[in-house]
Structures are given as structure tokens and as C-alpha cells.
């Protein structure tokens, strides 16, 4: 029976949780929350493809494995330096196998003024974040088992508070390395609280692992933008093709705030991203940008949810991808315009190049509009390269492969060019270029 | 330079070219005229290698080699250039990137060293200036949102930069005002040399006031039915194409 199998899988994670507890004991508030999450998890089951939200993505291959927790280890400083983004002046947080490595990270003494960074446990023990504890309580009882699991296990979470009016020039760069022969699971957690009028950029960067053993990243990020705060949020996922990722990102926006995300998926065997944005107050702007470039048997599923709860908010989604080989892409973009959300502008575009007979793309735009004075549009296109453009380029001397690569690059370039940090843009361009050429 | 013998070509099973014979020597300018649907553009596209056109009979020898056996990009490397009747708009590929890639692809294929970014810019600038083009255009996406005149001017820029041995202009003059037309003519005249040949496909005689051809051929119903000097173009301008049609109807 499928349900029995699913709960058996939950059992593995409960056992793993017991092991983790035996190894370390976090501060009391966090420990209590984690126990609560674990107890909730025990009552849950993992989704199957019969669940509407998971129709196109099966997690069986992920949850049926016996994962170990990531072993604490380190890498050489040269290794980190070689993996750095050229010319990017960043505040680095280095993780190896899910464990934070202070020796390889930017020391606390060099963190900029106006930015408070605390471990999750410390932040929770302090009096300063009602928001954080309320959200964690909600996550412990969430209906998505991966969010619950992340809450139960997440010990290396970071809480970043950008002080009122602070403009943090350097992006915080979370570099997630994995190494070693063991198959392991990690639970990154990122919390950003951008106070009124602050500006902040953060990048989650998942690097490729050497070797073929799989690992599973179950990540949660949660961002709150107070009035007039501006946040750029990058997620660059270029793991090896044996890696699994399930991401859950939740954003809350107060009035006049601007949130922009740039999600790039190049690696991974099975990747599922949930990007939810709740517009709580008026006059906000939201830009969700996404790129997926997949081949072989890769599977990347992007789910977005724009919740327009109040009037006068603007959202703009642009997801573009190229799917070849036997890869499968999924885009499910939901836009909800609630009855009060008059004068909403909500646009969504998803375009995919499907470049081989066995490649699959499922595109599902979903607009639910309950207000009458709004501007909303969505478009989903799935197509091939324009052969007349290929001919034009070849007639000027570009060999077939170069002509096709240039056109594919241009297709994704529209999204890449939206990234505001030039070093990041150059870096992503190079990664995309290299992957296109090595097809 | 170019020797076309008994060339037959079809599109989707319809025979459009029904036995073309044409000899082009180095340094010559040949004008191909004819009414709509006579096969002018088909001839230009077959020479450039467009795949929708199927050659069913005949041969095309270019500089001693079988042109029909060459890939589209190989033809470019060998010095064949087609100025498109409808240049393709390619969003996301900047003019600068495109020109750089095209120039260097040809240089690599010809065993020449690629141009450095500085040399490249200098080279491109020298030609844009000659064509009276705004340099800002280099930042725009290739042909995207270009006016008709800008597109044709851009074709001429590419021709100037790629320095072909055989340039084929496919109705480059159609729809152009007199100023744009003069730019096209000036570009061709500037490139005329004893070892470079042109095939100018046109519906109107007007362009030939500015590009003086050595030979004029009239294409009708897939065949060259009349050849002559530049005075033939004037005759066509004066009398239209009807007398050609009638003559051939009688002959046929």
C-alpha cells in the first residue's frame, strides 16, 4: 500500500532525527521547536503524484533512500578561493556537507555595520524576534513535510537582520560545498529580516560535488521585507547531476518594498523549488526570475505562488529554460488576486525551448482573479529554435553548433541580464555558456 | 568565379528553377531581373544553401568547387555572401556579439588569426562610419526593431566586414527610399574590384542607375529568357515585363 510505504519512509527520517538528537543538544527554545516538528512529521506522509501539487514530480527516489547526516569536514582555503565568484566582493558563509565552517568564512569582525547575523539558536533565545519564532512555530506544523523536516533538523540556520535604513553593499554569499563518499542529507535554513528602508543582497550557492554519490538538500528560506526595504535574492544551483534538492522559499512584503529573486538551476537529478510571495501591504514590487538549463535525465520543477492580498501591488515573473536529452521541466505559476486587491498588476511569462524528441516540459500557469479592476496576464510558450535565425547566422559563417549555442544563450540572456550584480551576471553567463557548449 | 549549368530546383515539390545557365567571371556585376514569381529569390537562396530548396538537376561550380556540396557556413567561409531580402530579427544577440562571432568564425575557417577586441572594434567602427551608421546600433539586438532601411544598411555593413568574393543581393532595394538606395549602391560600388563579383537580384531598374551592371538577365518562369548589357534594364523599365511574358508565351 502506497501510504504504508510513505510512512515507512517518514520512519527513516524519525530514526535519523533520534540519532541527531543524541549527537547534539541545541538551546532549549530551538530544541522544543524541533521536537514539535519531529512529532508532527511522524504523523505525516510524503506526497505522491496523486497529490495535485506534486503531479509532475515524484519524490519517491529521494525519500526512499537511507540518508545519513552530513559529516563535519573541511576543505582547503584554495578550494574555496577557486570556487569564488570572480570580482565579487562578498560576505562569505562556507558550509561543507551542511556544516558551517567558520575558518573558511568571513570573520564576524568583518561583517558590515547595520547587519546583524546570528545562528538560529541564538536568535531564538534572544528577545528580538517574534517574527522568527512565530514563523518557526508555523513551519513546525506546516502541511508540507519537507518544511517540517527542515524545521526539525535545521541546526545550521542563520538569521540575518538588516537594520533600519542600512544599505549593505556586499552581498552575503552562502557557499554550500559537499564532499566525500557518503550519501548524506542537509537542511540549510536562511532567515532574512530586512527592516524599514534597508537594502540587502543574498545568494544561496549550491556547488557541484566531486564523485557520484548522491546527496539530498532540503532547504528553507524565509524573508520578510518591511516598508520600503529592497532585497535581491539569488539562488544558484549547479550541483552534480546525482544531487536532489527540495527548496521552499517564503517571502512576506510590507508596503513599498521591492523583492527580486534570481533562481538558476543548472544541476541536480531531481529539483523542486517552491517560491511563495505574500503581499501584505500596498505598493510593493516583486520580480521573480528563473532559468533552467537541463539535459540527460534531469528533472527541475518550479512552483511559484504570488499572493496578491491587497490593492496596488505589482508582480512580474519571468521563467525561461532549455530542456534537452530526456530531461523534464515543470513550471506551475499560480497568481491569486484576492477580492480586495484592486489595481493589481500581475504578469507572468514562462518560455521553454524543447530541443530533443524525448525532452518534456509541463507548463501550467494558474491565474485566480477575484478583483475586477486589475491588469493580469500570463503566457506559456514551448518551442524550438527559430530555423530561419539559425540559417541567417550560418550564412554569415557561424558553424551550426555555434549558431545554435548563440541562439540558446540569447534566449536565456534575457533573464540573466536582469541580475543586478555584474560579477554574478558574468559568472552565470559563463556557467550557462559552458553547459551549452558541452551538451 | 561561378558557373551555373542547367540548374533545376523545387520547393515542396513545385519546380521553380527550370534550367538556369549563368557564367559569372571575377569582377563582373550581373543583374537578375524579372517579374514576381519568376524564381529570382529562389536562385539567390539556392546559392546561399537554404535547405527548403531542393536542387533536382544541374550543377553550380564556384571557384572550381561544387558549391551545392558545401554547408551553409562553408559557403560563407569560401566567400559567398547573401544579402537577405528579409533579414531575420534575433532578440538577445547584440549586433556587436554577432559581428564579432561572424568575423572571427570566418577568420578561423580561413586559417587567419582572430581579431583582438581592440582590432575588432576598430575594424567595425571603420565600416559603420563609412556607411553613416550610428555606433549605438552595435548595442542593439540583431535587426530587432530595425526599420526596413536600417535592416538593409545592416546587410551592407556585414557585406563590407566579411569581404566576400561573390555577393548576392536579394532584392536589397525593395521598399527603400532614394537615400537608403544610394547607401546600398555606394556599398556595392566601394567593394567593386577585379576579383570580386556581384549578383544583384532586383525587381526594379532604379537600383541599376547607381550600380551599373556589366550584364542584365531576365528571369521568367524559372529560366533566363533574355540577356544583355545595361541597356536591357532601361528597356524593361520603359516597357515593363509584359512583352517578355508575351514573347515567351508565343515561343512556348
Amino acid at each position: 500500500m502506497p501510504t504504508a510505504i510513505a510512512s515507512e519512509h517518514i520512519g527513516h527520517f524519525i530514526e535519523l532525527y533520534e540519532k541527531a538528537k543524541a549527537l547534539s543538544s541545541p538551546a532549549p527554545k530551538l530544541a522544543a521547536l524541533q521536537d514539535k516538528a519531529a512529532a508532527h512529521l511522524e504523523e505525516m506522509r510524503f506526497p505522491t503524484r496523486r497529490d495535485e501539487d506534486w503531479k509532475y514530480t515524484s519524490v519517491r527516489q529521494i525519500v526512499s533512500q537511507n540518508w545519513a547526516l552530513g559529516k563535519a569536514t573541511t576543505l582547503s582555503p584554495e578550494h574555496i578561493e577557486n570556487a569564488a565568484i570572480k570580482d565579487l566582493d562578498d560576505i562569505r558563509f562556507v558550509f561543507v556537507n551542511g556544516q558551517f565552517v567558520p575558518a573558511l568564512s568571513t570573520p564576524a569582525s568583518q561583517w558590515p555595520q547595520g547587519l546583524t547575523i546570528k545562528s538560529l539558536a541564538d536568535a531564538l533565545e534572544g528577545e528580538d524576534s517574534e517574527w522568527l519564532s512565530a514563523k518557526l512555530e508555523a513551519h513546525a506544523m506546516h502541511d508540507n513535510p519537507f518544511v517540517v523536516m527542515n524545521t526539525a533538523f535545521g541546526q545550521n540556520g542563520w538569521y540575518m537582520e538588516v537594520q533600519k535604513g542600512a544599505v549593505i553593499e556586499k552581498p552575503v554569499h552562502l557557499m554550500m560545498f559537499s564532499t566525500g563518499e557518503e550519501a548524506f542529507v542537509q537542511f540549510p535554513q536562511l532567515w532574512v529580516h530586512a527592516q524599514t528602508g534597508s537594502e540587502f543582497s543574498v545568494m544561496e550557492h549550491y556547488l557541484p560535488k566531486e564523485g557520484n554519490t548522491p546527496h539530498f538538500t532540503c532547504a528553507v528560506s524565509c524573508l520578510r521585507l518591511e516598508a520600503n526595504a529592497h532585497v535581491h535574492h539569488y539562488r544558484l544551483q549547479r550541483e552534480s547531476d546525482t544531487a536532489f534538492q527540495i527548496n521552499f522559499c517564503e517571502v512576506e512584503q510590507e508596503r513599498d518594498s521591492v523583492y527580486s529573486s534570481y533562481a538558476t538551476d543548472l544541476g541536480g537529478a531531481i529539483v523542486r523549488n517552491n517560491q511563495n510571495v505574500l503581499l501584505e501591504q500596498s505598493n510593493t514590487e516583486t520580480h521573480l526570475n528563473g532559468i533552467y538549463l537541463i539535459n540527460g535525465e534531469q528533472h527541475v520543477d518550479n512552483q511559484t505562488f504570488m499572493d496578491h492580498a491587497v490593492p496596488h501591488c505589482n508582480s512580474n515573473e519571468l521563467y525561461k529554460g532549455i530542456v534537452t536529452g530526456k530531461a523534464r521541466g515543470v513550471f506551475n505559476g499560480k497568481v491569486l488576486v484576492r477580492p480586495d486587491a484592486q489595481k493589481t498588476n500581475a504578469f507572468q511569462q514562462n518560455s521553454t525551448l524543447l530541443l530533443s524528441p524525448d525532452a518534456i516540459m509541463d507548463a501550467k500557469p494558474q491565474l485566480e482573479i477575484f478583483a475586477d479592476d486589475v491588469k493580469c496576464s500570463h503566457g506559456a510558450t514551448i518551442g524550438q529554435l527559430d530555423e530561419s535565425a539559425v540559417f541567417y547566422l550560418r550564412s554569415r559563417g557561424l558553424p551550426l553548433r555555434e549558431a545554435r549555442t548563440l541562439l540558446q544563450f540569447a534566449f536565456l540572456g534575457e533573464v540573466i541580464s536582469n541580475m543586478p550584480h555584474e560579477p554574478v551576471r558574468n559568472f552565470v553567463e559563463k556557467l550557462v555558456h559552458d553547459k551549452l557548449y558541452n551538451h | 568565379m561561378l558557373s551555373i549549368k542547367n540548374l533545376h530546383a523545387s520547393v515542396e515539390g513545385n519546380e521553380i528553377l527550370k534550367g538556369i545557365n549563368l557564367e559569372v567571371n571575377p569582377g563582373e556585376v550581373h543583374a537578375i531581373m524579372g517579374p514576381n514569381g519568376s524564381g529570382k529569390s529562389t536562385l539567390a537562396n539556392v546559392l546561399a544553401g537554404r535547405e527548403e530548396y531542393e536542387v533536382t538537376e544541374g550543377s553550380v561550380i564556384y571557384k572550381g568547387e561544387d558549391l551545392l556540396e558545401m554547408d551553409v557556413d562553408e559557403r560563407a567561409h569560401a566567400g559567398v555572401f547573401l544579402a537577405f531580402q528579409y533579414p531575420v530579427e534575433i532578440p538577445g544577440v547584440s549586433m556587436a556579439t554577432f559581428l564579432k562571432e561572424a568575423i572571427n568564425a570566418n577568420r578561423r575557417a580561413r586559417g587567419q588569426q582572430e581579431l583582438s577586441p581592440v582590432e575588432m572594434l576598430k575594424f567595425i567602427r571603420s565600416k559603420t562610419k563609412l556607411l553613416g551608421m550610428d555606433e549605438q546600433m552595435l548595442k542593439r539586438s540583431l535587426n530587432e526593431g530595425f526599420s526596413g532601411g536600417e535592416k538593409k544598411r545592416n546587410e551592407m555593413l556585414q557585406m563590407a566586414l566579411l569581404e566576400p568574393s561573390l555577393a548576392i543581393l536579394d532584392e536589397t532595394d525593395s521598399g527603400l527610399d532614394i537615400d537608403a538606395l544610394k547607401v546600398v549602391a555606394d556599398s556595392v560600388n566601394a567593394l567593386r574590384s577585379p576579383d570580386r563579383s556581384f549578383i544583384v537580384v532586383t525587381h526594379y531598374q532604379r537600383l541599376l542607375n547607381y550600380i551599373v551592371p556589366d550584364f542584365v538577365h531576365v528571369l521568367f518562369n524559372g529560366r533566363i529568357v533574355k540577356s544583355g548589357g545595361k541597356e536591357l534594364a532601361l528597356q524593361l523599365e520603359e516597357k515593363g515585363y509584359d512583352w517578355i511574358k508575351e514573347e515567351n508565351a508565343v515561343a512556348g
Side-chain angles (χ1 to χ4, degrees):
Chain A
M1 273 166 48
T3 317
I5 293 166
S7 39
E8 187 187 312
H9 294 154
I10 292 273
H12 290 314
F13 286 97
I14 298 297
E15 278 170 35
L16 194 62
Y17 181 71
E18 302 299 337
K19 277 188 208 164
K21 278 277 137 168
L23 288 173
S24 70
S25 45
K29 279 189 188 169
L30 183 57
L33 264 166
Q34 293 184 333
D35 283 343
K36 190 175 175 180
H40 183 216
L41 183 65
E42 211 166 349
E43 306 297 313
M44 301 182 87
R45 65 171 182 83
F46 285 117
T48 68
R49 293 186 60 180
R50 281 185 298 279
D51 295 292
E52 184 61 27
D53 278 354
W54 297 84
K55 194 173 165 186
Y56 303 106
T57 300
S58 166
V59 296
R60 208 165 61 89
Q61 224 189 316
I62 306 175
V63 298
S64 62
Q65 300 206 28
N66 261 326
W67 300 102
L69 290 168
K71 283 223 177 74
T73 176
T74 192
L75 293 165
S76 69
E78 293 76 41
H79 190 103
I80 310 303
E81 226 26 73
N82 288 339
I85 295 178
K86 193 172 168 276
D87 299 330
L88 184 69
D89 192 5
D90 51 6
I91 304 156
R92 248 177 245 170
F93 277 70
V94 174
F95 300 80
V96 182
N97 294 357
Q99 312 283 333
F100 177 56
V101 186
L104 297 173
S105 304
T106 305
S109 59
Q110 290 174 27
W111 294 345
Q113 288 219 327
L115 178 63
T116 309
I117 305 179
K118 287 180 180 174
S119 75
L120 188 62
D122 287 352
L124 210 52
E125 291 304 320
E127 296 297 309
D128 46 357
S129 191
E130 279 172 40
W131 172 66
L132 178 65
S133 43
K135 289 305 290 187
L136 273 167
E137 288 281 350
H139 283 184
M141 299 309 290
H142 209 277
D143 56 9
N144 179 334
F146 297 103
V147 176
V148 178
M149 204 154 82
N150 176 281
T151 311
F153 284 92
Q155 294 187 353
N156 281 293
W158 287 94
Y159 175 73
M160 311 196 171
E161 195 165 67
V162 195
Q163 304 302 324
K164 189 175 171 184
V167 177
I168 310 300
E169 303 273 353
K170 295 184 183 184
V172 168
H173 184 189
L174 308 169
M175 301 180 83
M176 317 282 192
F177 292 91
S178 41
T179 183
E181 289 306 309
E182 206 172 6
F184 70 91
V185 55
Q186 59 179 351
F187 300 93
Q189 226 178 79
L190 169 68
W191 298 86
V192 173
H193 190 171
Q195 292 184 357
T196 303
S198 63
E199 292 185 25
F200 184 60
S201 304
V202 61
M203 178 177 203
E204 298 171 62
H205 185 181
Y206 299 92
L207 294 106
K209 183 185 184 193
E210 282 145 38
N212 285 320
T213 42
H215 64 283
F216 170 31
T217 303
C218 175
V220 167
S221 53
C222 205
L223 301 91
R224 181 164 186 87
L225 281 68
E226 287 187 2
N228 206 30
H230 288 61
V231 172
H232 296 288
H233 181 196
Y234 294 93
R235 199 180 59 78
L236 174 54
Q237 185 279 111
R238 53 188 195 100
E239 298 218 59
S240 44
D241 289 355
T242 53
F244 302 108
Q245 268 214 16
I246 296 181
N247 288 288
F248 183 86
C249 175
E250 204 171 34
V251 180
E252 300 164 354
Q253 290 188 246
E254 293 182 17
R255 69 186 164 81
D256 309 321
S257 62
V258 182
Y259 171 77
S260 308
S261 75
Y262 315 92
T264 307
D265 281 291
L266 304 174
I270 299 174
V271 178
R272 161 66 175 244
N273 303 312
N274 274 80
Q275 171 84 55
N276 298 352
V277 183
L278 172 63
L279 308 177
E280 293 179 359
Q281 295 178 358
S282 289
N283 199 36
T284 57
E285 245 184 72
T286 311
H287 304 279
L288 305 183
N289 297 279
I291 294 172
Y292 42 97
L293 172 58
I294 51 177
N295 58 16
E297 297 190 2
Q298 291 185 274
H299 181 113
V300 171
D301 177 353
N302 278 301
Q303 308 264 325
T304 64
F305 177 36
M306 284 297 324
D307 189 349
H308 282 264
V310 293
H312 292 286
C313 289
N314 308 288
S315 69
N316 202 343
E317 292 181 60
L318 178 65
Y319 273 74
K320 291 182 100 171
I322 300 178
V323 185
T324 60
K326 292 180 178 172
R328 183 172 191 172
V330 180
F331 177 80
N332 187 349
K334 190 173 171 184
V335 177
L336 174 61
V337 181
R338 295 183 191 264
D340 287 342
Q342 300 295 359
K343 306 286 182 190
T344 287
N345 287 315
F347 305 107
Q348 182 189 86
Q349 178 66 38
N350 171 229
S351 308
T352 306
L353 290 178
L354 209 54
L355 298 185
S356 73
D358 293 326
I360 298 173
M361 180 68 203
D362 297 291
K364 190 179 165 197
Q366 229 179 317
L367 266 63
E368 292 175 22
I369 301 170
F370 298 99
D372 52 17
D373 185 12
V374 299
K375 276 185 201 149
C376 297
S377 76
H378 68 84
T381 63
I382 299 172
Q384 271 98 48
L385 283 180
D386 175 359
E387 285 306 322
S388 64
V390 174
F391 177 74
Y392 189 70
L393 295 176
R394 291 186 75 195
S395 79
R396 300 303 182 244
L398 273 72
L400 179 60
R401 190 185 165 85
E402 281 170 35
R404 293 181 64 93
T405 304
L406 186 61
L407 291 172
Q408 292 175 59
F409 191 72
F411 178 77
L412 297 179
E414 187 190 355
V415 186
I416 300 175
S417 65
N418 287 341
M419 299 179 180
H421 293 80
E422 195 183 353
V424 177
R425 207 163 56 229
N426 292 341
F427 191 74
V428 173
E429 271 183 4
K430 184 169 186 323
L431 292 172
V432 166
H433 191 268
D434 289 351
K435 182 156 184 177
L436 285 173
Y437 257 91
N438 295 328
H439 262 201
Chain B
M1 175 74 73
L2 184 75
S3 171
I4 303 176
K5 289 207 166 74
N6 191 31
L7 183 66
H8 291 248
S10 311
V11 182
E12 290 168 357
N14 296 324
E15 189 169 60
I16 311 283
L17 301 185
K18 300 171 180 171
I20 301 272
N21 293 291
L22 182 67
E23 294 290 329
V24 179
N25 294 310
E28 292 176 353
V29 176
H30 290 245
I32 310 263
M33 302 186 69
N36 289 328
S38 59
K40 302 190 299 289
S41 277
T42 300
L43 176 61
N45 280 294
V46 165
L47 294 178
R50 198 187 281 275
E51 275 164 20
E52 298 95 287
Y53 298 86
E54 195 196 348
V55 173
T56 50
E57 215 183 317
S59 69
V60 180
I61 303 298
Y62 169 74
K63 289 186 175 174
E65 288 189 53
D66 185 350
L67 186 73
L68 301 177
E69 281 298 304
M70 294 160 84
D71 276 340
V72 179
D73 44 305
E74 287 171 350
R75 295 181 197 205
H77 303 156
V80 178
F81 178 90
L82 172 69
F84 281 57
Q85 184 177 8
Y86 305 111
V88 184
E89 297 194 9
I90 307 187
V93 176
S94 75
M95 281 285 295
T97 302
F98 162 70
L99 294 175
K100 182 179 76 122
E101 295 283 332
I103 291 165
N104 277 337
N106 282 296
R107 292 185 71 89
R108 278 196 302 275
R110 292 168 190 169
Q112 296 164 316
Q113 238 187 348
E114 292 187 14
L115 293 182
S116 72
V118 176
E119 291 168 326
M120 182 65 74
L121 192 63
K122 217 173 143 189
F123 181 46
I124 294 173
R125 272 186 183 156
S126 68
K127 303 294 181 187
T128 49
K129 210 172 156 190
L130 218 62
L131 284 158
M133 290 165 80
D134 185 350
E135 254 182 56
Q136 287 302 314
M137 180 194 208
L138 296 173
K139 290 182 186 162
R140 291 169 67 184
S141 283
L142 179 53
N143 289 326
E144 194 186 30
F146 283 27
S147 70
E150 281 176 325
K151 281 181 182 167
K152 297 299 168 70
R153 207 177 277 229
N154 188 18
E155 295 294 288
M156 292 301 99
L157 173 66
Q158 294 167 42
M159 182 174 77
L161 288 167
L162 297 176
E163 298 169 326
S165 308
L166 173 66
I168 304 152
L169 278 65
D170 186 10
E171 301 208 21
T172 303
D173 54 326
S174 297
L176 295 188
D177 62 24
I178 196 72
D179 290 336
L181 189 91
K182 278 180 181 165
V183 169
V184 170
D186 288 347
S187 310
V188 171
N189 291 330
L191 280 179
R192 282 183 85 154
S193 82
D195 49 10
R196 182 173 288 138
S197 313
F198 293 86
I199 296 177
V200 181
V201 174
T202 179
H203 187 77
Y204 307 103
Q205 180 272 339
R206 194 173 60 155
L207 178 66
L208 305 179
N209 289 337
Y210 302 95
I211 304 172
V212 181
D214 299 302
F215 301 94
V216 175
H217 310 277
V218 180
L219 199 59
F220 179 68
N221 201 15
R223 287 190 192 89
I224 290 175
V225 294
K226 217 169 197 55
S227 294
K230 57 182 186 237
E231 65 289 344
L232 179 56
L234 292 169
Q235 213 177 338
L236 287 166
E237 177 71 3
E238 198 180 312
K239 295 161 71 177
Y241 287 111
D242 285 349
W243 63 282
I244 298 278
K245 291 181 189 171
E246 278 158 25
E247 248 185 43
N248 281 279
V250 174

